[in-house]
């Protein structure tokens, strides 16, 4: 089913997109030749980006979010959510949502980076909101502090995402996903936009510098080798208990049977 | 005789003449111990206890049981300069800066999990084979005490390092203590030396964990084993095995050699786990700070059922005489475990009351021949397993795409419905196994060989069982129900009244069995064959 819906989207999206970008190109060209000032050229590039975004939006998103992103029966209004939210939701593959399950899942993104940027520009043009970030802008390696980040993570995030960032269950079938393997910009954007059940961590609660520390801690936990041997999913005592009852006692009882069988 | 041998002989003589040790040793080293894998489960518990003592002693050399605040300066970078208790810092020190420290920590923790698991399977063996019957009731009670202490010992153990996970566990224990009506608040103040978490709790549980409880364990295990020694071990029924003898190997040298070898196997497997599988990676958890909590906080497995019961209880509180009674903690945290463990301890007496059987038993039961007891065991296990599943509900939810609420409702309903169901099903299974045994004795084993008779009919050849096998399948006795005596011959009402009625009812359920083949039936068939 997933495959089919994706495929359909592609088939319609590609030629239409091509047509649209050609038109846009032509339009830009004519405007550019008419008024060759560099300032307005940038503004024009912006407005084409926005328009491009609007077109993608109309096709891929408006069925749920309304023709003007004002919100429809299914999806909430996107006015004022800002580019950050769009970048997070679309570039992690959460949007467009596929099945109306408990919460939008992370999956392979449907749109490429440019299309995401266009969508973000369009939504940002509707009302001001937090801006999107690039990975290069987020200098966690230089400015973050791992230990401080760990403390912040345990204070603010571990109750949902688990002490090792492995994710955990929330009520009503919702869950906090693992934060391992998430791009730095998406971690940052998750904190400033608070997707779904996650709260927003404004710059007052967690300063931008502290956010970098959190990212640094997550990255260090991600690359930390499992120091004690097989990590068993890093979910705590449940898997340890399972291992004892299966492998541990299994081996021990097996050997006891073997030892006593020899004598018979 | 060399000079050295002569001296040794003289010394031995000297000791023997004054203590009579030779006769004592001869008598006891020739003691016979029966051989069956299920008799080695207690040994697994014993050996993991020894491993716990050894590895635990190693850890005490560096562990600092103090809640004093320190700043971590050790070699684990992600916690550098973090403020934490000395207990947590010293555990990190053992893990990363003491040679072999992490391995020892992991061995110690794996051994603890194996210890309790081995105790539980040992208990199940003793239960399902009826080894707890007279004269071993006292040893059974000792066993229940050992199990309880083992659970407490384990809990205290993983509470010591003062990491985020263990702090969460102590917090729950604190809530359970506080939920005790009237004295709860006082008790918690007493245990924690003031408000939670305070400064004294870890030093206190440290002494209990490394000194008090191990001492009690040593004493109780010694008594436990001495009782096995003096009462002699039970044995499975078979030809030549009676209520009066023990068939097996002499303790010395056969059994000792086997047991010694088995110790090293248990040690080997524990060390193997410690070397390859991470357990309690507490550097990931961070130091405990009240107010922090992690998703997926779980206790070790043997506390999982308690946690599961607490998680599934609906929010129930009453306000009485100006005090709140939190039933939602009190019932699952104290009352239900209290009932379970008391019931378990008293079970030998309950059963003998139901069966009216006050005789000694040294031959074990095959579980199918005592359907009621076996079904009761299955029922209790089902209860525990469901409680335990609910204890891991969040982990199960995320890994099997379920919701916590689904699992919660499954366990709330399941814990009431499924145990009785398990009872009924197990009893049916036991009875059909009895029926199969009866068939086997009377008609022999199906060989799968088909033979065509002269007149064209096909029959399957049945092979008669060996006499030994027949004996094993028919040696047990089947209990008769206790008759309800309403009034005696002179018309006096039974003074036991309702108690007699309950006893008669339970005893008739207990006596439900498939009649085993009688000697006469077997004879008749045998003569028919020849
Ligand atoms: C610290 C924990 C324990 C240790 C180290 C331990 C050790 C042992 C050992 C080595 C034996 C003789 C071999 C065998 O039958 O397996 C034994 C027998 C026995 N144990 Fe335990 N045990 C422990 C806990 C328990 C528990 C929890 C129970 C039941 C509640 C129990 C009840 C018995 C009984 C009734 C016997 C006599 C069995 C017979 O003669 O058939 N023990 N124990």
């Amino acid at each position: 089913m997933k495959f089919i819906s994706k495929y359909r989207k592609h088939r319609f999206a590609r030629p239409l997109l091509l047509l649209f970008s050609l038109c846009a190109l032509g339009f830009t060209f004519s405007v550019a030749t008419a008024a060759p000032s560099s300032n307005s050229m940038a503004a024009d590039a912006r407005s084409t980006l926005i328009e491009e975004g609007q077109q993608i939006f109309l096709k891929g998103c408006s069925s749920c979010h309304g023709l003007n992103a004002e919100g429809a029966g299914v999806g909430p209004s996107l006015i004022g959510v800002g580019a950050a939210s769009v970048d997070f939701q679309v570039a992690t593959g959460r949007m467009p949502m596929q099945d109306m399950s408990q919460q939008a899942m992370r999956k392979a993104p449907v749109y490429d980076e440019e299309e995401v940027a266009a969508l973000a520009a369009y939504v940002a043009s509707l009302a001001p909101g937090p801006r999107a970030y690039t990975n290069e802008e987020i200098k966690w390696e230089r400015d973050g502090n791992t230990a401080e980040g760990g403390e912040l993570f345990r204070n603010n995030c571990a109750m949902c995402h688990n002490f090792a960032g492995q994710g955990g269950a929330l009520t009503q079938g919702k869950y906090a996903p693992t934060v391992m393997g998430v791009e730095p910009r998406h971690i940052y954007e998750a904190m400033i936009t608070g997707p779904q059940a996650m709260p927003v961590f404004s710059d007052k609660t967690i300063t931008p510098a502290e956010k970098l520390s959190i990212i640094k801690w997550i990255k260090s936990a991600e690359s930390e080798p499992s120091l004690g041997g097989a990590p068993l999913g890093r979910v705590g005592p449940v898997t340890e208990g399972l291992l004892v009852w299966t492998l541990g006692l299994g081996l021990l009882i097996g050997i006891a049977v073997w030892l006593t069988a020899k004598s018979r | 005789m060399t000079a050295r041998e002569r001296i040794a002989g003289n010394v031995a003589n000297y000791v023997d003449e004054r203590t009579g040790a030779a006769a004592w040793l001869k008598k006891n080293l020739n003691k016979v111990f029966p051989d069956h894998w299920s008799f080695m489960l207690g040994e697994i518990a014993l050996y993991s206890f020894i491993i716990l003592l050894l590895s635990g002693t190693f850890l005490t050399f560096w562990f600092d049981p103090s809640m004093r605040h320190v700043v971590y300066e050790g070699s684990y970078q992600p916690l550098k300069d973090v403020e934490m208790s000395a207990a947590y810092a010293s555990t990190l020190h053992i893990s990363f800066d003491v040679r072999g420290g992490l391995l020892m920590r992991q061995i110690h923790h794996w051994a603890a999990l194996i210890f309790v698991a081995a105790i539980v399977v040992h208990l199940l063996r003793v239960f399902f084979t009826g080894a707890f019957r007279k004269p071993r009731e006292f040893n059974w009670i000792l066993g229940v005490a050992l199990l309880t202490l083992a659970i407490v010992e384990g809990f205290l153990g993983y509470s010591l390092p003062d990491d985020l996970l263990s702090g969460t566990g102590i917090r729950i224990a604190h809530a359970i203590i506080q939920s005790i009506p009237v004295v709860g608040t006082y008790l918690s103040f007493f245990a924690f030396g003031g408000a939670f978490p305070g400064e004294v709790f870890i030093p206190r549980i440290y002494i209990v964990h490394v000194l008090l409880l191990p001492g009690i364990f040593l004493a109780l295990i010694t008594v436990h084993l001495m009782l096995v020694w003096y009462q002699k071990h039970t044995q499975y029924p078979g030809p030549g095995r009676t209520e009066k003898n023990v068939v097996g190997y002499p303790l010395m040298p056969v059994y000792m050699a086997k047991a010694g070898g088995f110790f090293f196997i248990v040690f080997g497997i524990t060390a193997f786990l410690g070397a390859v599988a991470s357990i309690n990676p507490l550097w990931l958890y961070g130091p405990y700070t009240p107010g922090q909590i992690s998703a997926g906080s779980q206790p070790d497995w043997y506390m999982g059922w308690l946690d599961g019961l607490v998680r599934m209880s609906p929010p129930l509180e009453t306000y009485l005489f100006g005090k709140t009674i939190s039933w939602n903690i009190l019932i699952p945290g104290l009352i239900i475990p209290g009932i379970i463990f008391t019931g378990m301890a008293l079970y030998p007496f309950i059963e003998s009351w139901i069966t009216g059987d006050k005789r000694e038993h040294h031959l074990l039961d095959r579980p199918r021949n005592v359907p009621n007891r076996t079904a009761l065991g299955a029922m209790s296990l089902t209860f525990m397993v469901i409680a335990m599943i609910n204890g891991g509900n969040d982990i199960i939810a995320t890994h099997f795409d379920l919701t916590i609420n689904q699992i919660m409702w499954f366990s709330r309903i399941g814990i009431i419905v499924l145990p009785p169901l398990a009872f009924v099903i197990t009893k049916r299974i036991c009875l059909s196994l009895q029926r199969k045994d009866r068939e086997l004795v009377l008609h022999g084993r199906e060989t799968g060989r088909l033979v065509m008779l002269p007149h064209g009919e096909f029959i399957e050849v049945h092979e008669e069982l060996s006499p030994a096998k027949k004996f094993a399948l028919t040696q047990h006795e089947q209990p008769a129900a206790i008759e309800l005596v309403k009034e005696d011959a002179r018309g006096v009402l039974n003074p036991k009244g309702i108690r007699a009625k309950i006893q008669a009812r339970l005893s008739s359920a207990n006596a439900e069995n498939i009649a085993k083949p009688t000697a006469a039936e077997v004879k008749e068939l045998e003569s028919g064959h020849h």
Side-chain angles (χ1 to χ4, degrees):
Chain A
M1 288 308 284
K2 247 186 201 162
F3 173 71
I4 293 172
S5 56
K6 212 160 143 185
Y7 177 68
R8 204 178 55 202
K9 248 172 220 134
H10 277 260
R11 205 171 44 169
F12 284 107
R14 286 265 168 79
L16 282 173
L17 219 68
L18 196 68
L19 198 68
F20 168 73
S21 24
L22 281 178
C23 291
L25 203 69
F27 180 73
T28 324
F29 206 76
S30 61
V31 173
T33 42
S37 119
S38 68
N39 204 352
S40 70
M41 245 165 79
D44 289 337
R46 253 206 99 56
S47 71
T48 40
L49 196 65
I50 291 170
E51 248 172 84
E52 194 184 318
Q54 184 172 23
Q55 292 308 315
I56 305 175
F57 188 88
L58 285 175
K59 264 169 266 138
C61 325
S62 60
S63 57
C64 296
H65 288 288
L67 288 172
N68 300 307
E70 77 282 19
V74 186
S77 159
L78 298 185
I79 294 170
V81 302
S85 182
V86 177
D87 189 48
F88 174 80
Q89 298 281 351
V90 183
T92 62
R94 287 182 166 80
M95 292 292 148
M97 210 166 162
Q98 248 161 24
D99 45 358
M100 294 303 294
S101 53
Q102 294 292 348
Q103 86 186 33
M105 268 188 305
R106 190 187 174 92
K107 51 188 183 297
V110 172
Y111 299 102
D112 63 27
E113 291 289 319
E114 277 156 39
E115 291 163 329
V116 173
L119 276 169
Y122 166 64
V123 171
S125 74
L126 302 172
R131 71 177 181 95
Y133 287 78
T134 62
N135 286 334
E136 291 70 41
E137 273 177 282
I138 298 177
K139 305 243 180 281
W140 55 272
E141 274 171 305
R142 195 191 64 195
D143 299 338
N145 173 319
T146 315
E148 183 199 33
E151 267 188 284
L152 286 162
F153 190 88
R154 286 188 291 276
N155 267 325
N156 298 291
C157 325
M159 73 275 247
C160 298
H161 287 285
N162 155 289
F163 47 73
Q166 296 294 325
L170 306 175
T171 51
Q172 303 300 343
K174 294 194 167 61
Y175 61 91
T178 171
V179 294
M180 297 291 122
V182 180
E183 283 181 46
R185 75 174 212 259
H186 293 143
I187 304 179
Y188 199 92
E189 288 164 355
M191 286 189 270
I192 57 178
T193 64
Q196 297 173 66
M198 176 162 158
V200 176
F201 293 93
S202 71
D203 285 351
K204 280 204 205 76
T205 2
I206 298 182
T207 64
E210 290 174 334
K211 288 191 172 105
L212 295 185
S213 294
I214 292 184
I215 295 173
K216 188 159 185 181
W217 181 83
I218 292 177
K219 290 294 151 196
S220 111
E222 207 173 281
S223 57
E224 181 178 304
S226 179
L227 297 166
L232 309 182
R234 284 193 184 168
V235 291
V238 170
T239 42
E240 296 163 1
L242 272 178
L243 192 71
V244 154
W245 275 98
T246 49
L247 187 68
L249 275 202
L251 272 178
L252 286 168
I253 294 179
I255 290 176
V257 172
W258 175 71
L259 273 181
T260 47
K262 290 272 148 165
S263 71
R264 262 183 253 134
Chain B
M1 214 192 273
T2 65
R4 200 182 302 151
E5 280 169 351
R6 211 171 41 243
I7 295 171
N10 286 343
V11 171
N13 248 340
Y14 184 89
V15 174
D16 188 37
E17 277 165 11
R18 280 157 189 80
T19 60
W24 185 87
L25 273 179
K26 192 168 166 202
K27 176 164 154 265
N28 286 302
L29 291 183
N30 281 335
K31 208 135 183 152
V32 161
F33 199 87
D35 209 19
H36 189 270
W37 66 267
S38 68
F39 298 160
M40 300 181 81
L41 301 172
E43 272 175 53
I44 302 180
L46 179 63
Y47 300 149
S48 26
F49 179 67
I50 296 172
I51 298 168
L52 283 170
L53 286 183
L54 295 177
S55 51
T57 308
F58 179 92
L59 299 178
T60 59
F61 297 157
W62 290 278
F63 182 71
D64 177 3
S66 154
M67 291 166 103
R68 182 168 47 86
H69 282 260
V70 298
V71 172
Y72 181 67
E73 295 296 347
S75 57
Y76 184 66
Q77 287 307 309
L79 287 172
K80 195 158 172 51
D81 295 332
V82 171
E83 244 197 72
M84 55 181 67
S85 65
Y88 185 57
S90 62
T91 316
L92 292 174
H93 177 72
I94 295 174
S95 304
F96 297 115
D97 299 307
V98 172
R99 195 168 300 255
L102 180 55
L103 179 66
M104 272 307 182
R105 264 198 58 233
Q106 303 206 131
I107 289 181
H108 192 68
H109 206 134
W110 283 120
L113 297 198
I114 292 178
F115 178 55
V116 192
I119 294 178
V120 169
V121 285
H122 171 55
L123 177 151
L124 292 177
R125 192 289 279 172
V126 169
F127 179 81
F128 283 114
T129 59
F132 55 79
R133 289 172 300 172
K134 190 177 170 186
R136 295 182 180 78
E137 304 99 324
F138 182 62
N139 222 9
W140 167 266
I141 293 181
L142 258 183
V144 174
L146 281 170
L147 172 61
T148 317
L149 290 181
I151 293 176
V152 174
E153 174 79 351
F155 172 72
L156 296 184
Y158 75 70
S159 296
L160 281 175
D162 203 25
D163 58 278
L164 182 51
L165 194 59
S166 72
T168 309
I170 298 181
R171 171 99 243 188
I172 295 173
H174 179 252
I176 291 180
I177 297 176
Q178 273 199 325
S179 75
I180 304 172
V182 188
V183 292
T185 317
Y186 171 77
L187 274 184
S188 82
F189 252 69
F190 181 71
F192 287 81
F196 178 86
E199 289 275 316
V200 300
F201 192 62
I202 285 186
R204 283 183 183 173
I205 61 174
Y206 180 64
I207 291 301
V208 177
H209 179 80
V210 304
L211 192 71
L212 189 59
L213 282 180
I216 297 179
F217 268 117
L218 276 176
L220 292 189
I221 291 177
T222 311
V223 178
H224 189 70
L225 295 184
M226 270 165 52
L227 278 174
V228 175
W229 188 274
Y230 283 117
Q231 296 174 334
K232 307 208 175 51
H233 204 285
T234 53
Q235 57 188 345
Y236 285 101
R241 300 181 177 184
T242 68
E243 293 280 12
K244 300 258 151 56
N245 69 3
V246 186
V247 179
Y249 289 97
L251 194 77
M252 212 47 180
V254 181
Y255 198 79
M256 277 300 182
K258 277 197 177 188
F262 196 45
F263 170 75
F264 286 105
I265 288 173
V266 176
F267 204 121
I269 289 177
T270 315
F272 170 75
L273 280 176
V276 303
S278 157
I279 186 166
N280 204 18
L282 40 68
W283 52 91
L284 293 174
Y285 304 167
Y288 180 63
T289 327
Q292 286 182 358
I293 181 134
S294 164
S297 292
Q298 311 276 354
D300 275 4
W301 74 262
Y302 42 84
M303 299 282 283
W305 58 280
L306 258 179
D307 194 31
L309 287 174
V310 173
R311 285 181 190 207
M312 78 171 76
S313 63
L316 256 183
E317 286 184 345
T318 43
Y319 194 71
L320 209 73
F321 304 121
K323 289 215 176 359
T324 321
I325 303 182
S326 316
W327 297 109
N328 54 334
I329 299 181
L330 193 58
I331 293 178
L334 281 172
I335 296 180
I336 294 181
I339 294 175
I340 290 175
F341 276 80
T342 314
M344 200 150 74
L346 295 182
Y347 184 73
F349 307 102
I350 299 173
E351 191 184 287
S352 94
W353 176 69
I354 291 174
T355 56
D357 185 353
K358 313 281 180 215
R359 293 163 306 159
E360 288 205 354
H361 291 277
H362 301 284
L363 282 179
L364 295 171
D365 287 321
R366 298 173 76 217
R368 69 183 63 174
N369 290 335
V370 199
N372 252 32
R373 181 203 295 146
T374 308
L376 186 68
M379 175 167 134
S380 320
L381 271 183
T382 312
F383 181 92
M384 284 296 177
V385 168
I386 294 173
M388 207 171 279
I389 287 176
N390 196 50
N393 57 7
D394 43 357
I395 304 285
I396 295 173
T398 44
H399 285 73
F400 295 95
D401 247 338
L402 297 165
T403 75
I404 287 193
N405 304 62
Q406 283 166 343
I407 302 172
M408 180 90 87
W409 280 105
F410 162 79
S411 23
R412 277 183 185 168
I413 298 170
I415 207 150
I416 295 170
V417 175
L418 293 182
L421 205 64
F423 184 94
V424 174
I425 292 174
T426 312
K427 188 157 178 181
R428 291 297 119 196
I429 292 177
C430 286
L431 290 178
S432 58
L433 286 174
Q434 286 187 9
R435 205 169 288 124
K436 195 187 117 220
D437 282 352
R438 184 186 153 87
E439 285 296 305
L440 265 179
V441 172
L442 290 181
H443 303 296
R445 195 192 317 276
E446 295 177 4
T447 56
R449 252 186 305 132
L450 290 184
V451 172
M452 196 170 80
L453 296 182
H455 55 276
E457 184 193 345
F458 281 98
I459 58 158
E460 191 184 358
V461 177
H462 282 234
E463 188 185 324
E464 204 183 327
L465 295 186
S466 68
K469 191 93 196 173
K470 265 191 202 163
F471 175 81
L473 294 186
T474 54
Q475 51 72 37
H476 60 285
E477 25 176 89
Q478 296 189 311
I482 299 174
E483 288 295 325
L484 176 58
V485 187
K486 284 221 177 66
E487 44 192 55
D488 65 13
R490 275 178 288 161
V492 179
L493 274 182
N494 187 340
K496 285 190 185 143
I498 182 84
R499 272 194 313 177
K501 260 194 206 144
I502 296 175
Q503 188 189 23
R505 176 73 199 83
L506 290 176
S507 139
S508 78
N510 186 60
E512 249 176 79
N513 278 305
I514 304 298
K516 66 177 188 181
T518 59
E521 277 176 305
V522 176
K523 270 259 159 50
E524 191 181 328
L525 259 159
E526 270 169 4
S527 56
H529 276 306
H530 300 299

